[in-house]
Amino acid sequence: MTEIDARVDLFHPADRVWQALTDLGLLARWFTETEPMAGERDRLLLFTAGLPGFDAAVDAAVTARREPELVALRCLEGGRRSRLTCELEPTAEGCRLVVREVLEHGDWPAEQRARREEYYRQALTGRLPAILDWLAFRQVDLRAGAAGATAEMPVTEAFDDPPAPAGRSRWPLLLAGIAAAVLAAGAAVWFALPADREPVAAPDPSPSPSSSATGAPARTPKPTPSARPTRSATSATPRPSRTPTVRPSRTAASTVAPEPAPRARYETVSTGLFGYTGEVVVDNPGGAAASGWTVVVTLAEGGTVTEASGADWRQEGQTVTFTGSPVPAGGSRSLTFSVRAPLARAPEGCSLGDDPCAGL
């Protein structure tokens, strides 16, 4: 029996995640377009043909549903039959979503299975949190600030904005909140930029050794006339010997170029209102396999890694240390990690050993 398992810890309540799982309009934004089957209740057509790991559309029928804990589907894709379950478990910070697909009939080639699992992982750790952040932003009552802490409004339809009360528009407050977030993010980036270096002035030429202590130029002494050589026969210079001298060998000393060291590059692959997903790729341009590597990422203040793949990791304060397996000659290894951070601020630093990561 072949199984695909993907999971993610989310900083959102289970009922909000349930809405993103079961609302077809929201599902299309983070996973795939979906259409109800005409005349059949609890049966859907998922337009997955062409997605990584999928080679046909999926005919899915709901077999179990417990709101907001579990939804199970029986899926038919070409000649394959599988069972897909989505389970939600509350946590102290929000909830944990586990997506598991078990193949009951047919086969997945190894490459297709790996690409399918990677697509699930990217959707859960990248696009789904962004949709949940968007939902949370729509459900926050920005007008509650005058009464104290902000409060959440009842969950509304995903695509219908509630009317503003007469005589008072919510748009100025909404725009002010967005502008404040953008200004804060811009200030963080501005402070992260390296300061311009002060230009170094060319050194003044040193005074001539012949200058006097008072700065006046010293007088140049007149040359003394040399005595003319005599024509004595004994003063003639003997002719040099005809014995040839030994010429140095033309063979250059052989030097061995040092093996290029592995290097790392960082990229933010997705962002949301309350976090982002980063990726670090370790490249080995050398001709021999590189031993295990260690990448150290310094998060912005308040950042917390919630999930990582491609390396072992541990976080101490703002410092996250990733350790990975050896990199083959001419190859690369990549790690991705999801960060919960205010205003989705990028890491403050990234290094592979003593060398900083490119792209940050």
Side-chain angles (χ1 to χ4, degrees):
M1 181 179 294
T2 305
E3 179 177 305
I4 291 177
D5 186 289
R7 59 188 63 207
V8 62
D9 288 330
L10 300 166
F11 291 86
H12 293 272
D15 57 349
R16 183 177 297 146
V17 181
W18 178 266
Q19 184 181 1
L21 288 173
T22 57
D23 185 296
L24 300 188
L26 296 176
L27 188 64
R29 296 192 177 201
W30 69 269
F31 187 69
T32 188
E33 293 280 349
T34 306
E35 180 179 293
M37 300 286 282
E40 297 192 45
R41 184 180 179 183
D42 291 336
R43 190 171 176 187
L44 309 167
L45 184 63
L46 280 63
F47 296 99
T48 51
L51 294 179
F54 294 84
D55 51 17
V58 173
D59 182 349
V62 178
T63 58
R65 178 187 176 108
R66 295 197 306 271
E67 183 178 353
E69 299 174 0
L70 177 141
V71 60
L73 306 171
R74 186 192 68 250
C75 301
L76 300 176
E77 179 192 0
R80 305 182 189 93
R81 184 177 70 249
S82 62
R83 185 176 70 256
L84 179 67
T85 59
C86 302
E87 296 183 72
L88 287 166
E89 175 186 350
T91 62
E93 295 80 12
C95 69
R96 176 177 294 116
L97 171 60
V98 179
V99 175
R100 182 178 294 109
E101 185 172 13
V102 179
L103 191 62
E104 298 178 332
H105 177 75
D107 186 31
W108 284 320
E111 182 180 357
Q112 182 180 6
R113 178 188 176 280
R115 295 178 63 213
R116 194 183 189 103
E117 188 169 33
E118 178 66 13
Y119 183 75
Y120 279 128
R121 187 189 64 78
Q122 290 180 354
L124 293 181
T125 61
R127 293 185 292 274
L128 175 59
I131 289 297
L132 294 173
D133 291 345
W134 176 78
L135 273 177
F137 185 73
R138 288 171 58 88
Q139 294 168 2
V140 171
D141 184 2
L142 299 179
R143 296 166 298 175
T150 57
E152 289 195 356
M153 299 172 65
V155 176
T156 61
E157 290 295 327
F159 303 105
D160 295 328
D161 288 329
R168 185 173 183 181
S169 173
R170 60 182 285 182
W171 286 108
L173 291 174
L174 178 60
L175 293 176
I178 295 176
V182 172
L183 290 175
V189 173
W190 186 84
F191 280 112
L193 293 175
D196 295 336
R197 295 183 177 179
E198 293 292 337
V200 179
D204 293 333
S206 59
S208 171
S210 60
S211 301
S212 63
T214 60
R219 295 181 180 179
T220 305
K222 294 182 179 181
T224 305
S226 58
R228 294 183 179 180
T230 63
R231 294 180 178 269
S232 171
T234 59
S235 63
T237 305
R239 293 182 178 180
S241 170
R242 293 180 180 270
T243 305
T245 58
V246 180
R247 295 183 179 179
S249 171
R250 293 177 178 267
T251 304
S254 60
T255 57
V256 179
E259 192 75 16
R263 52 180 178 262
R265 44 195 166 92
Y266 169 83
E267 180 183 2
T268 299
V269 296
S270 65
T271 58
L273 291 177
F274 304 113
Y276 61 92
T277 299
E279 180 183 46
V280 177
V281 178
V282 179
D283 297 312
N284 178 20
S291 59
W293 44 269
T294 299
V295 168
V296 177
V297 175
T298 303
L299 302 178
E301 185 177 359
T304 302
V305 172
T306 59
E307 184 184 20
S309 63
D312 296 327
W313 63 281
R314 69 178 186 278
Q315 179 170 355
E316 297 178 0
Q318 294 178 239
T319 302
V320 187
T321 304
F322 300 91
T323 55
S325 56
V327 186
S332 63
R333 300 283 188 195
S334 64
L335 70 96
T336 56
F337 56 94
S338 299
V339 177
R340 179 73 173 181
L343 299 177
R345 294 172 56 188
E348 296 179 353
C350 172
S351 62
L352 172 63
D354 296 329
D355 298 325
C357 302
L360 187 62

